[in-house]
């Protein structure tokens, strides 16, 4: 940003445009990283909430229990499965989430649905990504397109000239909207399991059109 300001003072228009495009590319990569971090944080906070508020392991969704069991079975120590006995499951659902987060590095719709299902037991988070005049299928396609764009930037398959400010603004608005909807959807899901809310609903004033 400081370099762009210096170029403006000196009238270096060509340098300004080149640096602006580079800034746009960097912002898209960072936006993707923020989206992935949000999902990991939502999953971890959700599992910590379940560990604290669920009365017994039987209150957890079946898929989450299976995910934990499979993770423990893959450990070399054959006694690992006993870690979920008594109240051990409370710690294990958190550790399970942390293990899965380490391998979660592609925030495409299918991977997101699997990650949230394996960590929280919630199926099809992507189905909540819908609003007026926009179906969840449209959101899925748009997110896939965004992730492809990010991959092209990282692997230098996309020229800087193909990145525009309007596209950056639109993707930023889109990702923020997905995050808000996902947060509220996970919130409602956790409430359905234990009868309490893990966090506050996003205020209407902060929602993105």
């Amino acid at each position: 940003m400081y370099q762009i300001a210096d170029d403006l003072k000196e009238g270096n228009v060509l340098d300004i445009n080149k640096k602006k495009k580079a800034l746009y590319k960097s912002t898209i990569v960072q936006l993707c990283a923020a989206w992935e971090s949000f999902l990991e944080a939502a999953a971890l906070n959700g599992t910590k909430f379940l560990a604290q508020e669920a009365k017994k392991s039987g209150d957890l969704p079946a898929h989450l229990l299976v995910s934990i069991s499979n993770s423990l079975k893959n450990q070399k120590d054959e006694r690992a499965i006993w870690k979920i006995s008594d109240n051990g499951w409370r710690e294990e659902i958190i550790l399970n989430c942390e293990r899965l987060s380490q391998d979660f590095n592609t925030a495409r719709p299918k991977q997101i649905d699997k990650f949230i299902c394996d960590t929280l037991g919630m199926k099809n988070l992507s189905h909540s990504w819908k609003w007026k005049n926009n179906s969840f299928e449209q959101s899925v396609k748009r997110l896939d397109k965004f992730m492809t764009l990010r991959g092209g930037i990282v692997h230098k398959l996309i020229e800087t000239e193909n990145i525009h400010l309007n596209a950056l603004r639109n993707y930023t608005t889109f990702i923020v909207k997905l995050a808000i909807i996902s947060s509220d959807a996970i919130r409602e899901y956790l409430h359905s399991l234990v009868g309490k809310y893990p966090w506050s609903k996003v205020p209407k004033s902060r929602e993105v059109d």
Side-chain angles (χ1 to χ4, degrees), residues 105-117:
N105 51 24
T106 304
R108 289 184 181 273
K110 287 184 179 180
Q111 284 81 356
I112 292 171
D113 280 344
K114 186 177 188 309
F115 174 67
I116 295 299
C117 189

Side-chain angles (χ1 to χ4, degrees), residues 6-20:
D6 290 339
D7 288 335
L8 280 171
K9 292 178 182 178
E10 298 172 7
N12 297 328
V13 178
L14 293 179
D15 285 343
I16 291 174
N17 289 333
K18 184 177 180 180
K19 289 171 183 175
K20 279 169 59 179

Side-chain angles (χ1 to χ4, degrees), residues 132-191:
K132 186 177 180 180
N133 299 323
N134 186 90
S135 66
F136 83 84
E137 291 93 345
Q138 289 173 304
S139 293
V140 165
K141 289 181 180 179
R142 192 174 180 186
L143 180 57
D144 261 328
K145 184 177 179 180
F146 172 71
M147 295 303 299
T148 298
L149 174 62
R150 178 263 184 194
I153 291 172
V154 171
H155 299 293
K156 299 181 179 180
L157 301 176
I158 295 178
E159 297 296 330
T160 56
E161 288 75 14
N162 295 328
I163 309 297
H164 302 285
L165 180 58
N166 283 340
L168 176 58
R169 287 172 173 166
N170 290 337
Y171 274 126
T172 300
T173 299
F174 173 66
I175 294 299
V176 170
K177 194 171 188 70
L178 289 190
I180 291 173
I181 292 174
S182 297
S183 174
D184 287 345
I186 294 172
R187 175 180 180 270
E188 291 296 331
Y189 166 75
L190 294 174
H191 177 266

Side-chain angles (χ1 to χ4, degrees), residues 78-93:
E78 295 182 354
R79 298 169 298 176
I81 192 66
W82 291 99
K83 292 180 179 179
I84 58 176
S85 61
D86 297 326
N87 273 327
W89 61 270
R90 297 184 188 276
E91 181 180 3
E92 281 307 313
I93 63 172

